Amino acid sequence: MTERTFHLVADPSSRDTRKIRVRPSRWFATVQLDRDRYVDAAPSRGSEADLPAEYLEAVGRACDAAADRIRYDGYPGAIWLGTGPRWIDMCAQFRNVEATIRALRFAELEGDYTELHALADRLALPVDEWLAPGERELIRGVDFEPPPGVFLRFLRGKAAKCGLRLNGRATAGSVWVRPTLPAAQRQIRELNPAQYLGWEDRWTNHVESDGTPLRPWLGGSGEDLSRGALPVQFRSLETARSQRCPCGMNPRDGDDDNDHRAHHAAWALGVRIPKNLEWWGDLAIVTTQSPVSWRKLAREAARMPQREEGYDFASWSHVGEPEEAEDNHRAYLLRVDDRIVGYAAAHDVKVHRHWDLEDESPYGEEVAALRPRIILIWVADTYRHRGIGAALVQELASDFGCRVADVSWSTPVSDAGRRLARRLSPEGIWVS
């Protein structure tokens, strides 16, 4: 099958023009109704551009049935469907392409949606029957057509969407299934009746009849050791829950759960170092003139304390062209194995005051002297209280060529920073 375009009106240049494109792929064809110019001309015709609700419902039914058929045949990938005033995208098996075009033509030109509903009814699969309660064997060529392994994979996906556990097994010419409803899924549906309208529990109290065939035993230490077991009981309790994860992200506020897992692992264990980055020592000093791969890695490390403490800006943002910074802005990255477990951002500042680290104690007089100033220090959660922060401050002082007591700290100094400063410089620190 080759790509084709059909015009639904005799004059393609008229304001009523609409066309259907057929784009074949390896597994199926995409049938697209292009209404773009027709929608643009809607105001001049005095008509509405939006599709009627009955139209959208009919297209949705046909799309869902066609997608199920394609996955039933073994297609493992994603299927992109779209319904809107400008484009309608449908998928179709090759043998159903002409029927899909005809149904779209009737719906678009005649306002007749019976062809779309008829197409959906003809393509509908007996999923409810396949997932009915009870142990049974579905025979290839009688109950289904695809290879048993392909059919079982499709059936597992449909069962998961229904909240069922399939307990299935494919053989040479059949598939054994015994759908069951986990107690947790039953409780979810009972607590949210509005979300699961028309749902009926057919599985919990199902009793096998005497004539039910037994699934053949394939050997091994045992088979189906949970059959006949009593379900786990669940209770609802009001428990105090933190509204914010210590890493700084909170999926309850809309953060993606996968992003939270990745960020939490980096916050706890350290930022993973790219495998293509050559690192010859334990500590790397990154400047604004370093290669961009190093500067991007410093930015990734800077995001950890930014997210954890809720700062508006990251302490490192130099990821553009290499440039010389007037204040010698730099980042210190300390690695353990293949992760960055310690990060410090610093630059050089000329004006400082001395502070004895006591609460509500005033700062001393301004002193003009170039000193390295700590912007921020962060240590991965697992490595805290192991001297990582102190090692970063000492390396900063050594790199600048001064004593640890001469290092300046940016204000305000956090409680953790004050404890570290008091341990390194008990007589007081410089602040700016």
Side-chain angles (χ1 to χ4, degrees):
M1 178 179 289
T2 58
E3 185 171 331
R4 294 175 291 167
T5 301
F6 303 90
H7 290 277
L8 300 187
V9 295
D11 183 9
S13 63
S14 71
R15 64 184 182 181
D16 292 333
T17 183
R18 281 151 288 177
K19 54 190 174 183
I20 294 178
R21 294 190 183 93
V22 178
R23 296 189 178 95
S25 59
R26 179 182 176 186
W27 286 84
F28 60 92
T30 300
V31 181
Q32 182 188 71
L33 173 62
D34 185 347
R35 306 176 78 247
D36 197 26
R37 292 178 58 187
Y38 181 76
V39 170
D40 288 338
S44 63
R45 295 192 308 269
S47 61
E48 292 289 335
D50 293 337
L51 296 173
E54 298 84 357
Y55 195 170
L56 295 175
E57 179 188 1
V59 168
R61 285 194 65 221
C63 284
D64 291 341
D68 277 351
R69 278 283 176 178
I70 292 168
R71 294 190 178 95
Y72 171 73
D73 287 342
Y75 175 64
I79 299 177
W80 303 103
L81 306 173
T83 55
R86 294 184 177 273
W87 294 281
I88 294 177
D89 292 312
M90 300 182 65
C91 58
Q93 297 166 294
F94 296 116
R95 59 177 175 270
N96 295 320
V97 168
E98 296 302 325
T100 304
I101 294 174
R102 184 173 60 253
L104 277 175
R105 186 190 300 272
F106 269 91
E108 186 65 26
L109 298 181
E110 308 295 335
D112 184 356
Y113 313 127
T114 56
E115 289 281 342
L116 284 171
H117 286 294
L119 178 64
D121 293 338
R122 181 164 59 84
L123 295 178
L125 294 168
V127 175
D128 289 342
E129 179 182 336
W130 291 334
L131 297 180
E135 172 98 21
R136 61 197 179 281
E137 183 182 23
L138 303 176
I139 309 298
R140 185 182 186 187
V142 178
D143 300 297
F144 66 93
E145 296 299 331
V150 171
F151 176 65
L152 180 59
R153 183 174 65 245
F154 167 78
L155 210 55
R156 287 192 191 280
K158 301 301 289 187
K161 288 184 178 180
C162 297
L164 299 175
R165 183 179 294 117
L166 188 60
N167 296 308
R169 191 185 74 210
T171 65
S174 67
V175 169
W176 285 86
V177 296
R178 190 178 73 257
T180 58
L181 179 66
Q185 293 293 334
R186 182 180 73 250
Q187 188 175 16
I188 290 173
R189 283 154 176 75
E190 289 175 348
L191 292 175
N192 301 278
Q195 186 177 350
Y196 300 95
L197 293 175
W199 177 79
E200 178 186 358
D201 185 2
R202 300 180 292 156
W203 299 270
T204 300
N205 298 320
H206 175 77
V207 178
E208 300 283 2
S209 62
D210 295 337
T212 301
L214 296 177
R215 185 181 303 194
W217 183 54
L218 296 181
S221 59
E223 186 172 86
D224 198 2
L225 300 180
S226 293
R227 189 168 187 177
L230 296 177
V232 174
Q233 298 297 317
F234 294 91
R235 297 288 186 269
S236 297
L237 297 176
E238 291 294 333
T239 56
R241 296 185 180 182
S242 173
Q243 296 299 315
R244 182 174 177 270
C245 180
C247 74
M249 294 186 70
N250 187 4
R252 295 191 177 195
D253 291 339
D255 291 330
D256 183 78
D257 195 43
N258 291 330
D259 291 342
H260 180 212
R261 289 194 187 98
H263 176 81
H264 194 100
W267 169 81
L269 303 175
V271 177
R272 188 177 292 278
I273 300 171
K275 293 183 178 180
N276 61 349
L277 199 65
E278 294 186 0
W279 195 316
W280 300 105
D282 297 321
L283 182 77
I285 304 174
V286 181
T287 70
T288 58
Q289 295 178 293
S290 297
V292 67
S293 57
W294 285 95
R295 288 182 280 124
K296 286 183 177 180
L297 185 60
R299 181 183 61 180
E300 290 299 314
R303 285 176 175 171
M304 296 297 112
Q306 180 191 13
R307 179 81 75 167
E308 180 179 354
E309 300 296 338
Y311 297 140
D312 293 332
F313 304 99
S315 55
W316 183 271
S317 58
H318 300 278
V319 292
E321 295 290 334
E323 58 181 357
E324 183 178 359
E326 294 182 359
D327 60 354
N328 191 22
H329 195 178
R330 55 202 182 275
Y332 297 82
L333 308 180
L334 180 63
R335 64 172 285 188
V336 172
D337 297 328
D338 61 346
R339 289 181 178 270
I340 296 172
V341 302
Y343 161 81
H347 61 170
D348 298 338
V349 181
K350 293 182 178 180
V351 178
H352 314 271
R353 297 171 180 266
H354 200 267
W355 182 37
D356 59 10
L357 292 170
E358 296 298 329
D359 292 334
E360 300 182 1
S361 176
Y363 298 152
E365 295 293 330
E366 286 189 358
V367 175
L370 188 66
R371 301 177 187 275
R373 184 175 77 158
I374 299 170
I375 300 174
L376 183 144
I377 295 177
W378 173 82
V379 177
D381 184 67
T382 306
Y383 292 86
R384 292 177 184 177
H385 310 295
R386 298 189 184 183
I388 299 292
L392 289 170
V393 177
Q394 290 168 354
E395 288 298 326
L396 168 62
S398 176
D399 178 47
F400 185 82
C402 67
R403 301 178 305 153
V404 171
D406 293 329
V407 172
S408 183
W409 300 66
S410 60
T411 57
V413 183
S414 66
D415 293 339
R418 191 182 301 186
R419 290 192 297 269
L420 175 61
R422 186 175 285 112
R423 187 165 67 251
L424 294 174
S425 183
E427 300 299 325
I429 60 174
W430 293 97
V431 296
S432 56

